[in-house]
Amino acid sequence: MQIGCCWFDTSQTTLTNHENDTSWKMPVVEFNVVTLLTQHRGQVLSIQQLMQQLPENAQTKEVLTAAIERIRFFLGSSSELLVAVDDQGFMLLKRINKAKVNLNGLGPHRTISNKQYGILMAQLMLLLIFIYSIFEPTPTIQQVEGYQVATPSGQVEYYPIMINAGEHAINASVNKFDLMMAQCKRVLWQEVYVSRSTSDKLMSIVLTRDINGQREVKNVKAYSDEKSFAFIDTQWLVRQGICS
Amino acid sequence: MPTIAAKKRRYAPRFIVLFSVALIAFGHYVYLYDKDQIFLQCQADAYIAATETDLQIGLEIKSLADEFSMDYQFLTDGEVIGEITLDGMLTQLQYGDMTYKATLNEGQFNIDLSSMYIPPYMKNIIDFSSERMVDDSEIEVDIRVLVTDPKQGYSIIQLLPGESIWVCHN
């Protein structure tokens, strides 16, 4: 008869553990107890019922408890099949309750439920987030240098993106943009990036600001055949939502 | 001595937990730091000085494996008046200056003929592409990442040639 990983041979009075390939020639007390438990598998047997299987001169609770402990020890990982019921009796289960997960290492015969297992997983996830918050490499890249422009409403970070083609006139118009911003009553953005294209017809303006921890961004482009971009004045900046 | 089967049963839960954590960590890392792929969505308000008109421009830059595309959309008052799709290959990512290098070898232009108006910005792109994509020629495009913040989900890029800058959502 199979008891977990063990085979109980009533004819040979042996219990064979297939996990560690050992066989136990059972003493009479243990054999009788296991025999009765297997005959009533899945049912609770009282201590008194089990004690009746012991020799007449050894029908004590201590002898029974010692026998149960030896049986459990030999059953090894299948010892969970033999459970004590409220200190009143014992029951040999037909199978291990799958709802329980055995986590060896937490102590002998310790089990945790799926709920506890879920909590453990959640804790590990939180630990992961915590580790990321400390060790996460800085992902932000900032490859351009800017400077602060004083405006009536405060400081604005200004980033002129210069071109390398030696077009001084183009670069000069980018540089002049900060002077126009300084004339605004209020600049609505915290960072302003400005570039002129080599075709000389396009001015690109990138605006960013933080609102309640969220970064808001905006592109504004001006296209003109006229090199000076003279139409860009305070009124135009207001119309484009850069200033107010 | 415990058998191999018993050892497997003993270590399986711990292995599953560690494997799950490692998998999530890896997924998170790939999500944040996968630099070999691009997906940028940009919107701009444009002002055309010659006609004193406003224009909205949409730009979507994306790559899947080595395939690369740039899709422009031009709108006035919410109506699409033209689209340009440029396709090619993503060739390289220079980590030093964070520049994606791509080549464009195919272009499609859709113009709303009823509007009778091609914005000069759009015309410039069409002319530039048409002149250079003749006889299997390619246009080399650099996308230089000036600023990127994956947590806030935006990047500021510079397109070369042209040197225009865009702020785009990742």
Side-chain angles (χ1 to χ4, degrees):
Chain A
M1 182 178 296
Q2 195 73 36
I3 305 173
C5 64
C6 300
W7 179 254
F8 179 51
D9 189 336
T10 49
S11 61
Q12 302 289 322
T13 66
T14 57
L15 191 59
T16 305
N17 190 321
H18 295 298
E19 275 191 352
N20 53 21
D21 292 330
T22 53
S23 191
W24 181 30
K25 183 71 176 172
M26 300 180 80
V28 177
V29 172
E30 284 80 0
F31 177 76
N32 288 345
V33 168
V34 173
T35 301
L36 189 65
L37 285 166
T38 54
Q39 285 168 355
H40 299 87
R41 204 159 178 175
Q43 297 171 13
V44 180
L45 293 176
S46 68
I47 289 171
Q48 284 71 28
Q49 281 176 297
L50 289 165
M51 277 174 27
Q52 284 170 10
Q53 302 301 309
L54 307 181
E56 281 186 13
N57 57 347
Q59 288 184 349
T60 64
K61 194 175 175 183
E62 289 71 29
V63 172
L64 177 65
T65 306
I68 292 286
E69 285 307 310
R70 278 194 292 275
I71 294 164
R72 275 184 174 156
F73 178 77
F74 192 82
L75 286 171
S77 63
S78 300
S79 61
E80 293 168 53
L81 288 168
L82 183 50
V83 293
V85 182
D86 292 338
D87 220 18
Q88 299 295 310
F90 293 90
M91 178 169 63
L92 185 63
L93 298 171
K94 289 177 181 172
R95 63 178 70 87
I96 295 171
N97 187 359
K98 296 287 183 189
K100 300 265 184 173
V101 180
N102 191 343
L103 269 189
N104 289 291
L106 293 177
H109 318 305
R110 288 284 301 274
T111 59
I112 62 170
S113 67
N114 282 342
K115 187 180 173 185
Q116 289 169 315
Y117 195 73
I119 292 167
L120 180 64
M121 287 286 282
Q123 286 174 332
L124 281 167
M125 297 301 146
L126 289 172
L127 181 66
L128 181 74
I129 292 164
F130 175 69
I131 291 168
Y132 257 104
S133 67
I134 294 172
F135 296 108
E136 186 181 9
T138 305
T140 306
I141 294 169
Q142 179 79 35
Q143 291 210 92
V144 285
E145 289 185 7
Y147 56 89
Q148 291 197 325
V149 174
T151 69
S153 58
Q155 302 284 342
V156 175
E157 286 290 331
Y158 182 65
Y159 297 89
I161 314 293
M162 300 300 179
I163 62 171
N164 301 319
E167 296 277 353
H168 298 299
I170 296 174
N171 286 340
S173 71
V174 172
N175 273 336
K176 269 194 278 185
F177 196 85
D178 63 340
L179 299 175
M180 285 182 275
M181 274 196 314
Q183 292 169 14
C184 289
K185 280 183 187 168
R186 184 166 171 245
V187 178
L188 302 172
W189 301 83
Q190 290 161 347
E191 292 179 347
V192 179
Y193 300 74
V194 176
S195 80
R196 280 281 295 272
S197 71
T198 44
S199 72
D200 203 18
K201 293 180 177 176
L202 183 71
M203 180 177 280
S204 301
I205 304 156
V206 163
L207 307 157
T208 74
R209 66 185 170 197
D210 281 323
I211 293 180
N212 299 327
Q214 292 292 311
R215 184 57 61 95
E216 196 175 300
V217 297
K218 185 179 180 179
N219 286 295
V220 175
K221 294 189 183 292
Y223 191 91
S224 174
D225 293 324
E226 178 199 331
K227 276 191 175 183
S228 64
F229 280 69
F231 62 90
I232 297 183
D233 53 15
T234 311
Q235 202 178 350
W236 186 85
L237 295 178
V238 171
R239 191 167 162 264
Q240 296 301 323
I242 299 169
C243 298
S244 66
Chain B
M1 289 289 290
T3 61
I4 292 169
K7 280 183 180 175
K8 278 181 182 174
R9 275 198 293 275
R10 176 178 293 180
Y11 293 111
R14 274 178 276 187
F15 175 75
I16 290 165
V17 170
L18 289 174
F19 181 75
S20 305
V21 171
L23 195 69
I24 290 165
F26 179 73
H28 186 232
Y29 180 86
V30 168
Y31 175 73
L32 278 182
Y33 306 111
D34 184 7
K35 296 185 177 67
D36 293 335
Q37 300 293 322
I38 313 174
F39 185 76
L40 298 168
Q41 284 186 310
C42 334
Q43 298 281 331
D45 291 332
Y47 175 76
I48 311 299
T51 52
E52 295 186 356
T53 50
D54 292 318
L55 184 71
Q56 292 83 50
I57 306 170
L59 171 62
E60 192 173 279
I61 301 170
K62 62 186 172 190
S63 72
L64 186 63
D66 289 338
E67 290 182 12
F68 175 81
S69 69
M70 294 174 70
D71 297 313
Y72 285 94
Q73 203 172 48
F74 299 87
L75 305 95
T76 52
D77 300 324
E79 294 288 319
V80 178
I81 58 166
E83 289 174 317
I84 302 172
T85 301
L86 303 168
D87 294 314
M89 304 284 281
L90 187 67
T91 54
Q92 196 187 347
L93 166 60
Q94 286 181 184
Y95 282 93
D97 56 358
M98 277 304 290
T99 300
Y100 291 92
K101 291 188 167 289
T103 55
L104 299 171
N105 53 18
E106 202 177 304
Q108 285 186 333
F109 316 120
N110 295 317
I111 300 162
D112 179 13
L113 295 173
S114 65
S115 75
M116 301 294 286
Y117 171 69
I118 301 174
Y121 186 93
M122 181 178 177
K123 189 172 180 302
N124 247 19
I125 297 170
I126 294 172
D127 291 345
F128 182 85
S129 311
S130 305
E131 286 167 16
R132 285 160 181 80
M133 282 185 188
V134 289
D135 301 330
D136 296 331
S137 297
E138 295 175 335
I139 302 171
E140 289 185 356
V141 179
D142 284 3
I143 300 161
R144 191 173 161 228
V145 180
L146 303 177
V147 178
T148 187
D149 189 341
K151 277 185 181 172
Q152 292 284 357
Y154 80 96
S155 296
I156 299 174
I157 57 165
Q158 185 174 34
L159 296 179
L160 301 160
E163 309 216 29
S164 65
I165 57 169
W166 289 82
V167 61
C168 309
H169 293 286
N170 294 336

